[in-house]
Amino acid sequence: MRLRTTCPATPRTWTVELRSHPSGLVLVCPLCPYSGGHVAARSARSAALTHLARHARGHVLPLHLRTCQCHERGCHWHPRHRGCAGPIRLLLACQNGGRVWRLADACSACAAATAHAAIVPDTVLGRAPQTAAPQRRKRRLKGLGERTRVCEMLSYLAAALPANTSAAARLLALQCALRMNATMRVRLARGLLRSLRLDSPGPWRELEQARWLRPRSTGSVNEVGVELLDVTVLDQAPARPDRTQAADWALRVASPAAAQGSADPLLQLTALYLTAHTDPGTGTGRTDLDQMARACGTLPEQLPGLLGQLIAKALLASWQACWDTEELTWDLRTRSSRSPSGGQG
């Protein structure tokens, strides 16, 4: 249990509101005297997240000086839980149907209890968008970097996409975000979409209605082209070859063939989430039930059934959920040693 501390002089909590206006929407920030600029409806969410990220980059604090801002305010952002505990993370939350967005430091316990929220990895805010000519970046280690990139993007999409976005649309958004170019254009081969069983118009329509992307002509019948409207995605990305490797890794892990022939997008996304959050050295992983449910576009109470299906398909060795702490742990078998094994909740 963390003792209540004095609120710091510069609390790491930022909030923006998208207010209706006769000519559209305006973005209002209490900390910015000249806020209130007009934003297009299709890019309003991106404008809000970009504004919050700018504040976070301008108020960097060492981890040992950061405190849970939710606890400082009496923990009124979420229902009651066992107490403030765990490492401090940046938590992105939306309220009023996406009209209000908040970015704040919060402990793991408060983050897990907050609805319509997702943890933003610190690496996402590690640098401002490039304004000068991009410099050559140091490449990440293969394998570990791919898992990290997929974990970060799944966490980001959990907050950026509407809560009711389907698993199929989330798989599609993941591929688009990892394969876009510098102008936020994406060209996906129809063969790639067929391999994920995402060649139907439904997932595209979801993302278009959420104003996350819009179709673009490619001039080829063998490709699908789109333009992403969420400009904040640009802040998530390292060098394009690294993103492409992560997209290919996610494609292999989430394909129906890797899921023992399952064409259920929710099962594919669940398997991808578990694999991405698994330590490749030990084959084990740990996560929060609510965070996993938000990233997969489902409810925490539906996760046991999904995990049971993964065990039945020999994609998961065992799992265990502690409903008091809302924590999930698992043991993920390697492909060479798959065999059905029991799990428990």
Side-chain angles (χ1 to χ4, degrees):
M1 180 75 69
R2 183 177 284 116
L3 296 177
R4 190 172 181 85
T5 58
T6 303
C7 190
T10 308
R12 283 173 48 89
T13 302
W14 308 278
T15 304
V16 294
E17 181 179 359
L18 297 169
R19 296 179 181 174
S20 298
H21 189 272
S23 60
L25 294 174
V26 294
L27 189 149
V28 178
C29 174
L31 299 178
C32 297
Y34 301 106
S35 65
H38 292 270
V39 294
R42 68 185 183 188
S43 61
R45 183 187 299 113
S46 297
L49 300 186
T50 301
H51 190 95
L52 291 172
R54 190 179 303 118
H55 277 300
R57 292 192 188 98
H59 296 83
V60 178
L61 278 180
L63 185 59
H64 68 279
L65 295 179
R66 291 161 60 181
T67 60
C68 179
Q69 298 299 310
C70 179
H71 181 66
E72 300 291 351
R73 289 157 178 77
C75 286
H76 65 270
W77 292 341
H78 55 73
R80 294 186 62 184
H81 61 86
R82 285 182 170 268
C84 193
I88 301 298
R89 297 288 184 262
L90 265 177
L91 185 70
L92 178 65
C94 68
Q95 299 173 321
N96 300 336
R99 293 283 182 170
V100 178
W101 290 85
R102 181 182 65 248
L103 184 64
D105 280 343
C107 69
S108 299
C110 289
T114 304
H116 307 298
I119 291 175
V120 179
D122 288 338
T123 53
V124 168
L125 300 175
R127 65 183 187 282
Q130 294 285 347
T131 55
Q135 298 180 352
R136 188 177 184 86
R137 299 180 177 92
K138 184 178 180 180
R139 302 294 293 276
R140 296 188 179 186
L141 294 176
K142 187 176 181 180
L144 181 60
E146 294 162 359
R147 291 172 185 262
T148 302
R149 176 52 47 195
V150 172
C151 286
E152 291 176 348
M153 193 58 72
L154 286 174
S155 179
Y156 173 76
L157 293 175
L161 295 175
N164 60 349
T165 305
S166 69
R170 291 176 186 274
L171 283 172
L172 188 58
L174 177 68
Q175 288 294 321
C176 289
L178 291 175
R179 295 182 186 275
M180 69 174 183
N181 60 20
T183 60
M184 302 184 66
R185 303 284 180 88
V186 185
R187 298 164 67 103
L188 295 180
R190 294 189 181 275
L192 182 150
L193 297 174
R194 285 193 295 269
S195 68
L196 284 173
R197 308 289 173 84
L198 296 177
D199 49 341
S200 62
W204 293 106
R205 191 179 301 114
E206 278 190 68
L207 296 175
E208 188 175 358
Q209 290 175 348
R211 294 192 173 97
W212 197 77
L213 56 72
R214 62 185 172 194
R216 302 283 300 190
S217 175
T218 64
S220 172
V221 297
N222 297 320
E223 290 183 325
V224 176
V226 294
E227 179 183 0
L228 303 191
L229 303 177
D230 185 358
V231 297
T232 317
V233 178
L234 287 171
D235 295 339
Q236 325 299 313
R240 191 180 183 190
D242 295 326
R243 289 189 284 111
T244 303
Q245 287 183 358
D248 291 338
W249 181 86
L251 178 67
R252 293 192 300 270
V253 174
S255 67
Q260 296 293 292
S262 174
D264 181 0
L266 183 54
L267 199 63
Q268 295 170 241
L269 183 55
T270 303
L272 173 62
Y273 183 95
L274 292 176
T275 306
H277 288 79
T278 296
D279 184 340
T282 64
T284 60
R286 182 188 305 269
T287 192
D288 177 81
L289 286 165
D290 282 341
Q291 292 176 17
M292 179 177 176
R294 282 196 293 268
C296 295
T298 186
L299 299 173
E301 52 265 30
Q302 293 179 322
L303 291 178
L306 292 169
L307 296 171
Q309 293 182 57
L310 292 176
I311 285 180
K313 292 181 175 293
L315 296 170
L316 184 66
S318 64
W319 65 273
Q320 187 170 16
C322 179
W323 299 105
D324 289 336
T325 61
E326 298 184 346
E327 186 177 67
L328 174 71
T329 58
W330 66 88
D331 180 10
L332 191 69
R333 289 285 178 91
T334 60
R335 299 186 184 279
S336 60
S337 60
R338 285 179 182 165
S339 62
S341 176
Q344 59 183 355

